Amino acid sequence: MFKNLIVYRIAPGWQADLTQVEEALAKTPFTECGATQEKSLGWIAPRGEAHGALVESVGGQWILRFMVETKVLPGSVLNRKVKEKAARIEQETGRKPGKKESKELKDEAKLDLLPMAFTKQGSLWVWIDTDARLLVLDTSAQGRADEVVSLLVDSLPGLSVSLLNTQTSPQAAMAHWLATQEPPVGFSIDRECELKSADEAKAVVRYARHPLDIEEVQQHIQQGKLPTKLALTWDDRVSFMLTEGLQVRKLSFLDTVFEGTKADDGGFDTDVAIATGELVKLIPDLIEALGGEAESGVASAAEAIAAAGPANASAVGAAPAAPAQRAVPATPVRKSGGGVVTGPATAPVDTDPDSAPF
C-alpha cells in the first residue's frame, strides 16, 4: 500500500471524529476535469467503491485517498497552435501580434486544445494516526504533498501540521553511520547509497547492489561528499531508502512481516493493518535514531503526547542526541495560508516533480 512516506506532526488541540472528517471531505470530492479544465483534485473512496466513505478507520488508523487528474497538453502542440493564430492575424492585418496579444493567443489556443487533450490520473494514500498525532502521505514529491496538506487544512477546521524535524539532520546521521559502519540500534545498512559533494563541482557517486562497508565510501565522506540517500532495513521487517530531506522511499515489507498470514488474507483492511502496524513502530524508531524530535512550531505536540503517559510517549520517539549534530542551524518557523505550520524543517526541492504523478 505505502511505497513512499512524507511525515508531518499534527499540532495539539485539533480534535475531530470520523463523522466530522467525512463531512468535511465530502465538500471537495474528486470529479473528472471539465472540457476546458486543466486540473482537478479531490477525495475518492479509499476502498474504491462508488459512493463509498471518504475516510476509513482500520484498527483506529484513518485512511484517506487523494486523486488528481491533469490534462496532457504538449508544449510543442500548443506552440504550433499559437503560431497558426499569429500567422492568421499577420496575414489579415499585416502586423505581428505584440507581447500582450501573443499571451492572449496562447490562452485562446489552450482553450481550443484542452477539450481534445488526454488526461492523466494519479492517487496517493493519506494516513492519519490520531494517537501519535502524525499525518503520513504516500508520495516522494513535496509539491504533491503540499497540495494534499493545503486541501486538508482548508477542509478540517483547526488542523495545523509541520514537517517532521529531528535533532540530527538525516544527512549528518547517514554520514556518521557510513563512516563508522555503526547503524543505529534496530537498523542495518543495505547496499545502495548516493553521495554528493557540496562544492561547485557537485560531484555525485552512486552505489547500487554494492557493499558499503568499504574504505572507498569512507574516503568519499572524508573528502566532503555527504549522503543524500541511504538504503536501510529496520528490524529485518521493512527496507527503505532514507533521503537527506527525511523522506522514506522505496518502502518494502519483507517476508517476516507476512509470517502467519494466509495467501488469501489480502484485501483493504489487511493491507492497511499490516502497513500501519509496522510503520507505527518504525517511525518512532527512526526519529530516535536521528536524535529525537527538534523544536518546531508544533513541538508541543510531542510534549502533549509524552505528558499523556509512557504508552503514548513512545510514538514521539524522544531520545538522546545522536553522535552527529545538525550541520546547519534550524530556520525560524514559517507559516503559510490556512494555518499550516510548514517549518522549521526545510522542505526538499522537487528535482523531477513530473516524473510520476505521485
Side-chain angles (χ1 to χ4, degrees):
M1 174 172 278
F2 291 94
K3 299 298 181 184
N4 306 281
L5 305 178
I6 295 181
V7 185
Y8 294 82
R9 173 67 70 191
I10 299 173
W14 179 71
Q15 298 291 335
D17 57 32
L18 281 174
T19 301
Q20 292 171 324
V21 175
E22 177 71 27
E23 291 174 352
L25 299 185
K27 296 177 182 178
T28 51
F30 170 76
T31 56
E32 295 183 353
C33 289
T36 58
Q37 187 178 359
E38 287 188 71
K39 185 175 185 178
S40 178
L41 52 83
W43 304 102
I44 61 173
R47 293 184 185 274
E49 301 170 348
H51 311 296
L54 297 178
V55 55
E56 295 283 352
S57 178
V58 178
Q61 305 296 337
W62 295 359
I63 302 295
L64 298 68
R65 198 170 185 184
F66 177 82
M67 173 75 81
V68 171
E69 181 178 81
T70 54
K71 291 285 185 72
V72 180
L73 190 58
S76 58
V77 175
L78 180 59
N79 291 336
R80 186 167 67 245
K81 188 73 171 178
V82 172
K83 288 179 181 178
E84 290 174 1
K85 287 179 174 289
R88 190 177 302 117
I89 290 176
E90 187 174 358
Q91 184 179 7
E92 294 174 353
T93 65
R95 63 176 180 81
K96 291 185 178 181
K99 186 175 181 181
K100 181 180 179 181
E101 191 174 7
S102 294
K103 184 179 183 302
E104 293 173 350
L105 290 178
K106 186 174 183 179
D107 293 338
E108 289 178 10
K110 185 178 291 186
L111 288 175
D112 292 343
L113 293 170
L114 280 173
M116 299 177 287
F118 291 104
T119 58
K120 179 175 66 173
Q121 288 187 347
S123 66
L124 66 83
W125 297 104
V126 178
W127 165 33
I128 299 177
D129 185 339
T130 54
D131 289 337
R133 305 197 72 82
L134 292 176
L135 169 66
V136 183
L137 308 184
D138 180 19
T139 178
S140 61
Q142 188 62 49
R144 308 299 186 195
D146 291 343
E147 278 186 327
V148 178
V149 169
S150 295
L151 188 58
L152 277 173
V153 169
D154 288 342
S155 302
L156 302 175
L159 177 65
S160 291
V161 300
S162 169
L163 279 167
L164 192 65
N165 193 25
T166 54
Q167 293 285 352
T168 303
S169 72
Q171 191 167 63
M174 291 188 292
H176 176 77
W177 301 338
L178 285 171
T180 62
Q181 282 300 306
E182 295 180 2
V185 175
F187 294 83
S188 59
I189 297 174
D190 292 341
R191 296 163 60 89
E192 185 174 354
C193 79
E194 177 181 276
L195 303 168
K196 185 179 295 185
S197 65
D199 56 23
E200 294 181 357
K202 302 295 182 183
V204 178
V205 178
R206 296 184 179 92
Y207 292 90
R209 298 181 295 278
H210 194 287
L212 302 179
D213 56 346
I214 55 175
E215 187 176 345
E216 181 181 289
V217 172
Q218 297 178 7
Q219 289 176 347
H220 281 306
I221 293 175
Q222 291 170 2
Q223 292 167 3
K225 294 185 181 70
L226 292 173
T228 57
K229 302 175 184 176
L230 178 63
L232 299 166
T233 291
W234 169 77
D235 199 29
D236 294 326
R237 299 178 69 82
V238 183
S239 64
F240 61 94
M241 183 82 72
L242 180 63
T243 75
E244 61 182 329
L246 193 49
Q247 294 183 4
V248 172
R249 300 181 180 178
K250 298 183 178 181
L251 193 70
S252 176
F253 299 100
L254 305 184
D255 291 342
T256 51
V257 171
F258 303 100
E259 289 179 357
T261 61
K262 300 176 182 178
D264 58 352
D265 277 350
F268 177 83
D269 292 87
T270 300
D271 291 345
V272 170
I274 290 174
T276 58
E278 297 299 320
L279 297 177
V280 78
K281 293 177 285 187
L282 184 156
I283 293 173
D285 282 0
L286 183 58
I287 294 173
E288 182 177 355
L290 295 172
E293 203 161 350
E295 284 291 323
S296 71
V298 295
S300 53
E303 297 172 5
I305 298 169
N312 286 333
S314 62
V316 180
Q325 298 301 313
R326 176 169 289 279
V328 294
T331 55
V333 174
R334 298 175 290 111
K335 292 188 178 182
S336 64
V340 185
V341 183
T342 58
T346 300
V349 176
D350 286 340
T351 57
D352 188 14
D354 296 320
S355 60
F358 298 96

